Amino acid sequence: MPEEIASVTDVGRLGREAVVRLVRFASNHALLLTAVLFVVISVARIVGTAQSQGWTYDEHLHLGWSERFLEGISERWSNPGYDSKTPVSVPNAVFARFADAPETSLFLARLPMAAWFLLLAAGTFLLARRLGPPAAGPLAVILICLEPNLIAHSTVVTVDVPLAACTVLSALAFLAFWEHPSPRRGFWAGAALGATFATKFSAILLAAPLYVAAIVAVIVQRDRVPIRRGVVALGSCAVAALFVIAAAFGFQDMFSPLADIELSSQPFISLTQSAPWLRLPLPEAFLTGLDMCIAREREITWNVVVLGEHYSSGVWYYYLFHWAIKTPLALIAVTLVGAGVALRRRLWRRPHVVIIVAMLAVPLAYFSFIFRVQIGYRYTLMCVPLVLVLVATALAQIKRSRLAIAGFGAIVLLGVVENVPYWTNPLSFTNSTILDKKRAFEWTADSNLDWGHHDAAIERQVRARRIPAARVNPPHPLAGRNVFAVNAVAGVWEYEAHQWLRANIRPTDHIEHTHLVFDVTDDQFERMLVETRTLESQRPDCEVLDPISRPILLRDTNAAVCVEVRETAVIRLVAKRTRLVRHPHHVRVRVIERAPEVVGPGHELWYRMLPGRHLLRLDGTGKIIVRVESGRARAGELFTGS
């Protein structure tokens, strides 16, 4: 009996000691455990969002190119959308093959993105620990978990988060090289940089500052590391980078003469003219991808919409402005505090910090002042973790006190609160600077708000919101309730298309931040027709017969409608589907003096016609019904006269 009592006493004592040790461990590692908790919640959020969102505009292009790449086909010219695609999406394509339904295919294809976020979190932790005190690592991880743009692009098949992860790993590897240049560290630095190139071609902006830093490291430390060994280390770095790029592209079509490669950008054309015999130690698919990105960025006119204005060549403040509206206010506040601490503690004098700042300065300068494809904050996403690492490094310098802990806790809480409304839709995040979310399109547009991820479900969402008689994405506003994609209203596709709507009617609601609800009164509709859709007679030489009594059937051909009105009338073209058409078709309608307009099944085009004769040319497949309140109209052969 005494032995049993002693045994029970020992068990109780051991249990109490375990609890005490656990509490002590939690107390000593509270920040680290908090960071782990945030990572777990972020991964759960990523997986849940990946399952709930529909296809974005370019996911099928990433997967399509990777599917072909798995079959040994890496050319890009067959599809303009293949211009910037890289093998980093191959795991996504492999995962998609295990699906038994389109919805499952998309979800499985997105799963590897969660692994990229974990790699980003791990790299951020290690980089911050190398730059600052031990607390800097967990602080940096918590901050990236509060950054909705990093979460958002971890939920879709794209390359921005993989690029961010590889950028952080490259910084980590080159800092290690700076501390002690050696062939082994040079190899790992080159391998990390090569992996960055294999994710996105804009990695070229990171190569220059990093390799310059490596050269400076060899020169500065020549007394400690022999210059010959340093040169070997630099060579090891370059060879490793080239090898990783070649390996990522499957060593396909290596050392092809430039004259045999179809190139279109001015830098590559000039190089080919100067040295057509030159054979670069890089896969042809890598060279053509880099070439097409340069050519497309220079040759295409882009619709850059910011603060309601349209710019064809971008504006210098685009990314700075979007950092201010797409970053949670909590992170903005903590960034400003961190900048103040860094200046006061003179952290900018540390070589490690200088290297990170150089990695930030080059791409930010290029994207702000030279780059023209300003269609999303995501292009500078690889800079965000580096900024947060510097912020965490500065914050870790602050002496730990109850006030400091309470302040950071308040910042974290504010960041969580601001993320909650966008928990399953982080792509559309804007911070509390924009209080009226219905009018966020007046501040920004494009992939900053809508990347097509709700297009497929918008009809269901309209019904779920019980929005009666709503017309979804009509060609122009109609009397009654209209639901428009936010990018259509903002003018991303055609800036002039909904200019009258933007100027005269305010949205009454939004659906998931990607679609806007407009209620148009009869008077407003009449005013729109008068101001923007009034047609004057051009006196076309076409024959007018009796009014149309039957629909016009279009079978991959052209037709025309000749309309004559003796007094001002309204004409309505209604697009329908027939039994001959098994899927939606769009009909292009050209009024003789106007640019073409596109009308899809179930939608209508309205015009106000002044007295006289008018010709409407129809091009497409489907069925069109023409209704004229007064006057006569007929369907005939396409009129080709002057």
Side-chain angles (χ1 to χ4, degrees):
M1 189 68 176
E3 294 179 358
E4 293 179 1
I5 295 175
S7 177
V8 171
T9 303
D10 291 340
V11 170
R13 180 174 54 80
L14 291 175
R16 286 192 300 273
E17 290 179 358
V19 171
V20 169
R21 289 177 182 176
L22 183 61
V23 171
R24 187 177 299 163
F25 177 85
S27 176
N28 294 335
H29 299 84
L31 193 59
L32 178 61
L33 293 175
T34 302
V36 171
L37 177 63
F38 267 76
V39 170
V40 171
I41 293 174
S42 297
V43 171
R45 182 184 180 190
I46 288 168
V47 173
T49 302
Q51 191 170 19
S52 64
Q53 290 183 159
W55 289 90
T56 58
Y57 293 134
D58 60 357
E59 284 183 288
H60 67 285
L61 294 171
H62 287 285
L63 293 173
W65 189 86
S66 295
E67 282 283 356
R68 297 166 75 252
F69 182 76
L70 286 170
E71 297 171 1
I73 304 172
S74 58
E75 67 83 28
R76 303 177 184 277
W77 297 101
S78 60
N79 190 326
Y82 291 158
D83 57 351
S84 61
K85 306 306 174 275
T86 60
V88 75
S89 298
V90 165
N92 304 88
V94 171
F95 268 63
R97 290 182 172 184
F98 294 99
D100 54 2
E103 297 79 9
T104 310
S105 172
L106 178 60
F107 173 63
L108 291 179
R110 289 171 168 175
L111 277 183
M113 302 308 298
W116 279 111
F117 181 81
L118 287 173
L119 183 62
L120 172 63
T124 301
F125 177 85
L126 295 174
L127 181 59
R129 285 287 296 267
R130 183 174 287 274
L131 286 174
L139 284 174
V141 171
I142 293 172
L143 294 180
I144 69 165
C145 290
L146 291 173
E147 221 294 329
N149 301 288
L150 293 172
I151 299 293
H153 293 281
S154 299
T155 67
V156 294
V157 181
T158 186
V159 298
D160 298 295
V161 167
L163 175 62
C166 291
T167 298
V168 169
L169 295 177
S170 295
L172 190 63
F174 273 88
L175 290 184
F177 184 87
W178 172 273
E179 293 168 0
H180 185 77
S182 68
R184 181 176 63 84
R185 293 193 176 191
F187 172 83
W188 288 115
L193 186 59
T196 307
F197 271 101
T199 59
K200 197 172 183 178
F201 296 108
S202 55
I204 194 171
L205 301 171
L206 301 169
L210 287 177
Y211 210 74
V212 167
I215 294 173
V216 172
V218 170
I219 296 174
V220 169
Q221 302 191 48
R222 61 185 182 276
D223 294 335
R224 190 160 56 92
V225 178
I227 193 70
R228 182 176 299 177
R229 181 176 173 82
V231 171
V232 172
L234 291 175
S236 173
C237 178
V239 170
L242 294 174
F243 178 81
V244 170
I245 293 172
F249 283 86
F251 300 100
Q252 295 183 23
D253 302 315
M254 296 280 293
F255 296 101
S256 298
L258 288 182
D260 294 345
I261 304 176
E262 188 174 357
L263 301 168
S264 58
S265 69
Q266 192 55 51
F268 274 99
I269 290 175
S270 300
L271 182 61
T272 302
Q273 291 173 346
S274 302
W277 44 266
L278 184 62
R279 298 170 181 263
L280 296 176
L282 290 165
E284 185 175 321
F286 176 82
L287 295 174
T288 56
L290 181 59
D291 166 71
M292 290 179 72
C293 286
I294 296 172
R296 190 164 177 255
E297 188 268 331
R298 290 286 97 187
E299 296 172 2
I300 295 178
T301 300
W302 300 91
N303 277 350
V304 178
V305 178
V306 58
L307 288 173
E309 296 295 328
H310 170 264
Y311 303 91
S312 59
S313 300
V315 288
W316 67 268
Y317 56 83
Y318 184 90
Y319 293 101
L320 178 62
F321 171 75
H322 281 88
W323 172 79
I325 66 169
K326 284 193 65 66
T327 303
L329 293 181
L331 292 189
I332 292 177
V334 85
T335 299
L336 296 177
V337 171
V341 173
L343 290 174
R344 190 179 63 184
R345 299 291 181 91
R346 299 185 179 183
L347 298 184
W348 49 271
R349 290 187 173 184
R350 299 181 182 180
H352 289 44
V353 174
V354 172
I355 292 173
I356 300 298
V357 170
M359 291 180 66
L360 289 168
V362 173
L364 288 178
Y366 173 78
F367 283 117
S368 296
F369 299 104
I370 300 175
F371 192 59
R372 299 172 59 190
V373 194
Q374 294 179 338
I375 58 176
Y377 179 57
R378 58 193 171 92
Y379 282 89
T380 55
L381 201 63
M382 75 284 198
C383 296
V384 173
L386 297 181
V387 171
L388 296 181
V389 163
L390 292 177
V391 170
T393 302
L395 293 179
Q397 310 292 323
I398 300 175
K399 184 178 179 181
R400 185 176 298 186
S401 65
R402 291 183 179 179
L403 180 61
I405 294 173
F408 185 73
I411 289 290
V412 170
L413 180 60
L414 177 60
V416 171
V417 169
E418 212 166 8
N419 269 278
V420 166
Y422 299 89
W423 198 254
T424 57
N425 183 22
L427 278 169
S428 303
F429 178 87
T430 55
N431 63 31
S432 298
T433 301
I434 304 175
L435 294 176
D436 187 356
K437 300 302 182 181
K438 301 189 299 294
R439 302 181 66 175
F441 73 95
E442 297 176 355
W443 297 66
T444 183
D446 220 298
S447 60
N448 300 308
L449 290 179
D450 180 16
W451 209 358
H453 52 295
H454 287 148
D455 285 358
I458 186 59
E459 299 278 1
R460 174 176 51 80
Q461 290 173 337
V462 166
R463 291 193 300 269
R465 296 282 292 272
R466 297 180 180 178
I467 303 177
R471 318 285 186 90
V472 179
N473 288 319
H476 59 74
L478 299 170
R481 184 153 289 176
N482 301 257
V483 176
F484 287 101
V486 67
N487 282 333
V489 178
V492 169
W493 314 131
E494 288 185 72
Y495 186 72
E496 295 81 11
H498 293 299
Q499 198 162 6
W500 188 91
L501 179 67
R502 292 194 299 271
N504 293 278
I505 304 179
R506 294 288 176 260
T508 56
D509 198 2
H510 71 82
I511 303 174
E512 297 289 346
H513 304 278
T514 61
H515 289 76
L516 302 172
V517 180
F518 289 86
D519 290 316
V520 182
T521 65
D522 292 340
D523 290 341
Q524 289 172 328
F525 180 66
E526 177 65 24
R527 183 178 150 211
M528 182 205 67
L529 290 178
V530 171
E531 295 179 6
T532 67
R533 303 189 66 78
T534 296
L535 307 177
E536 296 183 2
S537 173
Q538 298 295 313
R539 300 183 181 279
D541 185 15
C542 58
E543 183 181 0
V544 181
L545 295 180
D546 295 330
I548 293 175
S549 58
R550 291 183 301 176
I552 304 170
L553 281 179
L554 300 174
R555 297 189 182 93
D556 296 319
T557 185
N558 295 327
V561 175
C562 193
V563 180
E564 184 177 57
V565 294
R566 296 188 179 88
E567 59 185 25
T568 302
V570 174
I571 183 171
R572 178 163 60 114
L573 282 72
V574 184
K576 297 288 185 180
R577 278 185 289 178
T578 70
R579 294 178 182 176
L580 300 175
V581 182
R582 296 185 179 179
H583 56 277
H585 286 264
H586 292 79
V587 177
R588 183 181 289 267
V589 179
R590 179 190 288 274
V591 183
I592 196 168
E593 73 271 24
R594 295 171 67 94
E597 293 186 283
V598 176
V599 57
H603 288 306
E604 307 172 358
L605 284 176
W606 289 68
Y607 300 101
R608 180 176 177 267
M609 290 185 166
L610 297 181
R613 189 171 294 182
H614 305 264
L615 181 66
L616 286 77
R617 302 175 181 181
L618 311 178
D619 178 17
T621 306
K623 180 168 70 171
I624 286 287
I625 298 176
V626 180
R627 304 186 189 281
V628 186
E629 290 190 1
S630 63
R632 297 179 299 154
R634 71 157 296 205
E637 298 299 325
L638 176 62
F639 174 71
T640 57
S642 60

